[in-house]
Every structure is written in structure tokens, then in C-alpha cells.
Amino acid sequence: MSQQERPDYCMVKQFEKENPLMEKFSAFPARLYEGDPFYLPKPVALGGLPATFFLAYRDGTAAGRAAAVINPEISYHNQATGLIGCYECENDPSVSQALFDSMFEFFRARGIDYVIGPMNGTTWGSYRVTEPDDDPPFFLDNYHCTWYAEQFKGYGFGTIARYYSARITDMDRSYERVP
């Protein structure tokens, strides 16, 4: 297990699935979403792909998590591509920065040219960042903290694809996006 100290009170621990830290990794979202009526617990699922896990601590308390996944079936611009999965993080730029820094160091050491996230292994698992919205989430749709889009954009991630969901209550009308 390696640890990276940061001068801004964050520490990131890197470990493999067999490590006892997986218990804290798995439990972190329940604390993050405590009291949120839309949160549904999900197991750590990465499509059976091997992963390296990262747990960020702020002042000794878990404050963020993510998994680095290399799926040999996914490439971007025909280049080796890494995936950031299981991303959960408090609304603290220092914590998200520490997580991203640690994962990008991991990917660079393995010759990875592009990183896509969040994506839990494949698009069959949870993937994408949803934009903040005042409407409740769709049944079984992707759901996460509203600040994730800003955390990814703040680190330099850009949009590579878009996904659109809408409730249509007036079925007698023609909709431009439906065809």
C-alpha cells in the first residue's frame, strides 16, 4: 500500500481489493449520502475488471474514494485509456484534487494516455456525470452528488458524449429530439 501526503491536510491511500481498507471504501457513500432520500446503496461493481482503489482522507477521516480501472476493450482516439470508477467525494476541491492527482499518477506510470470518468468498468455499469437538476432522479437513473460535474470539469475533464433523459407527459405532441 502506498500513501501520498499532501500539504493541504489530505492524504490518499492506494490499495488493492484484498486490503482491509475495502471496508471503509465500500462504507463511505452511506456517510456521504446520509439523509438523502434518493440515495440507493450500490455494491462496488466494476464489471469484473481488476482495479486499484484510492481512499482520500481529510484530517484523518475518509472524504473521497475512487477506483482506477484499465479495461483493455476501451480506448479513446486509439490510445490506451484508463477509467475512474466508484467515484464519491465530499464537496471539497482539495479532496477531489488529491484523488485525481493520485489516480493520474497511477495511470501515467502505466502508459495510459487518456482517462475517462466516471465509469464503473463499462457502460453496463454506472457511468457519466449528470448535470445538477431540480427534478428528482428518474427511476434507476444515475444518481450522485450535484458537485461532481464541477469537480471533474475543475480538473480538466471535458465532455466526450451526452445523454439526455426527459419526462414526457404530453404524448399528443411531436417532439424534435424523439426521432
Side-chain angles (χ1 to χ4, degrees), residues 80-155:
T81 302
L83 306 173
I84 294 175
C86 300
Y87 185 83
E88 301 286 355
C89 189
E90 291 182 357
N91 191 7
D92 183 333
S94 293
V95 176
S96 63
Q97 174 89 28
L99 271 173
F100 288 131
D101 284 350
S102 296
M103 287 186 294
F104 271 73
E105 183 178 311
F106 171 87
F107 286 128
R108 274 192 297 275
R110 285 151 184 81
I112 299 298
D113 301 305
Y114 289 96
V115 177
I116 297 174
M119 183 185 294
N120 290 351
T122 71
T123 56
W124 288 101
S126 179
Y127 69 97
R128 75 187 180 280
V129 173
T130 55
E131 296 291 327
D133 191 336
D134 292 332
D135 291 327
F138 285 86
F139 177 66
L140 296 179
D141 199 6
N142 193 31
Y143 181 73
H144 52 258
C145 296
T146 57
W147 52 83
Y148 288 0
E150 193 57 42
Q151 289 177 339
F152 275 84
K153 287 177 191 172
Y155 200 77

